[in-house]
Amino acid sequence: MIELAPWRWALGAFCAFSIGVAKTGMPGFGILAVPLMVLVVGDARLSAGWLLPVLCFADVFAILYWRRHASAGRLFSLAPWVLLGVAGGALTLSLSERYLRPMVGGIILLMLLTFLRRRYQKADEIAAHPVPYGVSAGFATTVANAAGPVMNLYLLSQRLPKEEFLATGAWFFFFINLTKVPVYWYHGLFSARSLVFDACVAPAVLAGAITGRWLVRHLPPAVFEWMVISLTGLSAILLFR
């Protein structure tokens, strides 16, 4: 067992729980784990490596539960641009984390403002172009595990039913998180200590996934959309801390 203060274990378990909730029912909630994991690990750069296996584990639950609802076409149009963003993020991982996180936060805020303007001023032209969203999502997920807000805005712009919204996002993150594994391995972000920690908090991911399934069944579509928008804005602000 690795040595961590009890409060760090508790906070790490909450991070895992919030990711489980986000994957199956409340998109955007999991972004809270990004800044909180920094407190658990005590190193902003290494925290990305501690968090990635937890995300991959949660992705499995999400795709198993939502496997029949995904809109594959939405992913095909994003794929090349996401890979371009991942490549750009891999090249900048050597930069100081204090520059990378605010950069991602700024991208998310800009996209949120753009989404809201399009949503309420040009309702008939709401569909977003995949290029800026794909590149931004690939970059954000590589440098800070923070593509969730970008993808949430893109999928909201497609006017998808909440089940299709969650399913499409689940498949997207399943593949993109697997793509990041060799990148993080190359940069030395994994360790035996981090993997033991991830295994210990895995039950909290399962508990969160069950909770998320319950939430999505009881949320009206309008409430679902506004909760996604609110959590996206909050996540962007947290990235500046």
Side-chain angles (χ1 to χ4, degrees), residues 40-206:
V40 174
V41 180
D43 184 299
R45 187 167 177 272
L46 288 178
S47 67
W50 286 53
L51 196 58
L52 183 58
V54 177
L55 291 168
C56 292
F57 184 54
D59 287 333
V60 174
F61 287 105
I63 62 172
L64 287 175
Y65 185 68
W66 296 113
R67 61 188 181 277
R68 298 181 180 178
H69 298 275
S71 177
R74 318 281 183 181
L75 301 181
F76 292 144
S77 62
L78 280 175
W81 310 113
V82 171
L83 293 176
L84 182 61
V86 169
L91 292 174
T92 58
L93 269 178
S94 57
L95 296 178
S96 171
E97 189 270 347
R98 64 177 179 174
Y99 298 118
L100 294 176
R101 288 170 62 83
M103 190 183 306
V104 173
I107 291 171
I108 294 169
L109 281 179
L110 178 62
M111 290 193 163
L112 178 58
L113 292 174
T114 301
F115 170 82
L116 291 174
R117 180 181 63 82
R118 293 167 63 94
R119 177 70 172 82
Y120 294 104
Q121 293 182 7
K122 298 182 178 182
D124 58 333
E125 300 179 14
I126 191 171
H129 198 283
V131 174
Y133 282 85
V135 172
S136 298
F139 180 83
T141 195
T142 305
V143 302
N145 283 318
V150 179
M151 274 300 294
N152 290 342
L153 291 176
Y154 177 75
L155 294 176
L156 278 179
S157 75
Q158 307 298 307
R159 298 286 187 94
L160 301 176
K162 59 184 179 181
E163 293 82 4
E164 192 173 339
F165 179 109
L166 290 163
T168 305
W171 280 103
F172 171 84
F173 286 110
F174 176 70
F175 287 113
I176 204 63
N177 284 331
L178 289 180
T179 301
K180 288 156 50 182
V181 170
V183 175
Y184 280 24
W185 186 274
Y186 174 79
H187 285 276
L189 300 182
F190 297 129
S191 66
R193 190 166 181 253
S194 71
L195 295 176
V196 169
F197 171 86
D198 294 331
C200 289
V201 300
V205 175
L206 177 58

